[in-house]
Amino acid sequence: CAGAQAGNGALDKARTAFNEGRYEQARTLLRPLADQKADKDAKLLLAEVQFITGQYEHALTLVERALVRMQKEPTAPAFTLRGVLKEKSGEYATALANYQRAMEINERHTEAQLRRGLLLLKLGRDTQGLPEINAVVDDLANRYNAGSIDGDARSLMWLGIGLRHTE
């Protein structure tokens, strides 16, 4: 039990470093945790660090490993990150499928829906992409007005509003 607590402490420190933009420190803290077979959270957070720092192939490997560990309870962020990585490599159909899977797990996972809408626009499928983006913006605006929106969702809302004004 003490080992698990130590692991949780290191994971918490890594999350703090990640949230503060100290990616090298987060990576250093996460590597030993991610090497543990059962630590899907560390693998996923390390995958995010690798993505942000441009290590796309390593990020994809970590996401794949995390998803294997999450078989019974996969998370929307894991599928969203895999979608982003597949989109980055030009695998658009696979990216769309991953965004869709994320939305099936959590219908209010706004990042997946926004990314799906943006990719559909990129593919010239405006009649599908615009309604997705508009739905995200409307949902976020409603949540904002109700006072139940966090900083990340607020950023996505303003991004979506900006996109609406460029149509």
Side-chain angles (χ1 to χ4, degrees):
C1 229
Q5 288 178 329
N8 288 339
L11 184 58
D12 290 341
K13 287 179 184 177
R15 280 190 182 115
T16 299
F18 177 84
N19 291 333
E20 293 175 354
R22 294 180 284 121
Y23 303 121
E24 285 306 316
Q25 182 180 4
R27 186 186 340 250
T28 300
L29 291 164
L30 288 166
R31 278 190 179 134
L33 297 175
D35 288 340
Q36 298 172 14
K37 289 187 177 190
D39 204 331
K40 63 185 181 302
D41 295 330
K43 282 179 181 53
L44 193 54
L45 186 55
L46 182 55
E48 289 184 57
V49 170
Q50 298 297 70
F51 172 73
I52 287 171
T53 58
Q55 304 296 314
Y56 305 123
E57 288 181 28
H58 191 229
L60 183 59
T61 299
L62 289 164
V63 170
E64 298 291 352
R65 288 180 185 161
L67 282 166
V68 167
R69 295 282 170 219
M70 297 177 179
Q71 268 184 340
K72 292 182 183 176
E73 292 185 40
T75 65
F79 278 99
T80 301
L81 182 54
R82 185 164 70 177
V84 170
L85 291 162
K86 292 296 186 175
E87 183 177 345
K88 188 91 176 141
S89 68
E91 297 177 54
Y92 300 133
T94 305
L96 287 171
N98 278 276
Y99 297 146
Q100 183 62 40
R101 181 68 179 114
M103 291 164 37
E104 290 167 2
I105 293 168
N106 179 356
E107 65 186 31
R108 293 188 72 165
H109 190 66
T110 52
E111 183 182 358
Q113 189 173 12
L114 183 60
R115 287 185 177 279
R116 180 176 159 78
L118 291 171
L119 180 52
L120 288 167
L121 288 178
K122 182 178 182 176
L123 296 173
R125 294 164 56 184
D126 297 7
T127 57
Q128 292 173 293
L130 289 174
E132 295 240 5
I133 293 168
N134 286 332
V136 169
V137 173
D138 291 343
D139 178 57
L140 290 173
N142 290 334
R143 289 168 49 198
Y144 180 78
N145 290 333
S148 63
I149 192 169
D150 62 16
D152 289 340
R154 185 176 295 113
S155 297
L156 288 172
M157 178 184 73
W158 291 114
L159 171 63
I161 289 171
L163 288 170
R164 275 188 177 172
H165 291 290
T166 61
E167 294 173 7

